Amino acid sequence: GDKAFAQFLTDEIKEEKKIQKHKSLPKVSGGWELEVHGTEARLVRKIAGEKITVTFNINNSIPPSAEEETQEEQKPDEQEPELTSTPNFVVEVIKDDTKQTLVLDCHYPEDEVGDEGEEESDIFTIREVSFQPTGESDWKDTNYTLNTDSLDWALYDHLMDFLADRGVDNTFADELIELSTALEHQEYIKFLEDLKSFVKCQ
């Protein structure tokens, strides 16, 4: 069984490498620096007196609906639809002279990705906003967290503009999907390779 499994993995790795769009990770325009630690990626950008950090994790970032449809509707000769990774991402804005970090928790609404019809609509939404002490890795549940579900739309618009002024806009969100998808695919191939060596190991 293990031999057949290893052979299957070898073929699968070959196939995945064939369809791999990016040999190296795509860049995000606007002077963002990328750091990757396993499945977590961080984009950092410094502007006058501020540091903006966007963090996301590719685990569980592929919407489930995409995978379910492929099994049922696929005809043998059809290309599998491309899976895109749309991770939640957290934007942290740190001002040099304050002890607080503004944290905005953003995500891609599942139904809106791919709706090209409405030019005006944003491809990502802000879900939660809070302040966290700068430099502390553990966020405190005792800090007030603003949920945007019941938020005054004017305030919400200002928050979106605030992000756009710092380079987090639709273009950024599109490029983030591209980066995340490439990263997810790269990690998937690496996982298959690790699995192959694990299975082969006697």
Side-chain angles (χ1 to χ4, degrees), residues 15 35 84 151 163 190 200:
E15 281 306 301
E35 303 163 18
T84 34
L151 198 59
L163 282 181
K190 191 166 152 299
K200 277 179 139 171

Side-chain angles (χ1 to χ4, degrees), residues 85-99:
S85 158
T86 49
N88 298 342
F89 59 96
V90 174
V91 183
E92 295 173 61
V93 180
I94 303 165
K95 287 190 187 271
D96 289 350
D97 47 4
T98 65
K99 301 273 185 292

Side-chain angles (χ1 to χ4, degrees), residues 158-176:
H158 278 298
L159 284 168
M160 287 299 270
D161 291 343
F162 176 84
L163 282 181
D165 289 343
R166 281 150 184 82
V168 180
D169 51 14
N170 277 346
T171 306
F172 173 85
D174 266 333
E175 291 179 358
L176 187 105

Side-chain angles (χ1 to χ4, degrees), residues 36-59:
V36 179
H37 307 285
T39 58
E40 186 173 89
R42 167 176 294 182
L43 290 157
V44 182
R45 181 171 187 246
K46 291 191 172 78
I47 52 175
E50 291 183 3
K51 177 178 163 188
I52 295 102
T53 308
V54 177
T55 315
F56 64 93
N57 194 317
I58 56 159
N59 279 338

Side-chain angles (χ1 to χ4, degrees), residues 86-165:
T86 49
N88 298 342
F89 59 96
V90 174
V91 183
E92 295 173 61
V93 180
I94 303 165
K95 287 190 187 271
D96 289 350
D97 47 4
T98 65
K99 301 273 185 292
Q100 285 183 315
T101 299
L102 182 65
V103 179
L104 301 104
D105 193 344
C106 305
H107 74 141
Y108 295 96
E110 273 157 38
D111 49 351
E112 283 175 33
V113 175
D115 280 352
E116 294 301 309
E118 299 172 34
E119 280 303 293
E120 287 305 297
S121 75
D122 291 298
I123 58 174
F124 70 97
T125 58
I126 303 171
R127 213 173 5 196
E128 291 182 344
V129 188
S130 68
F131 279 111
Q132 297 296 341
T134 300
E136 288 194 25
S137 53
D138 291 333
W139 291 347
K140 296 185 170 35
D141 286 337
T142 49
N143 287 5
Y144 179 75
T145 300
L146 175 69
N147 192 309
T148 56
D149 289 344
S150 52
L151 198 59
D152 177 333
W153 62 265
L155 175 54
Y156 182 83
D157 280 351
H158 278 298
L159 284 168
M160 287 299 270
D161 291 343
F162 176 84
L163 282 181
D165 289 343

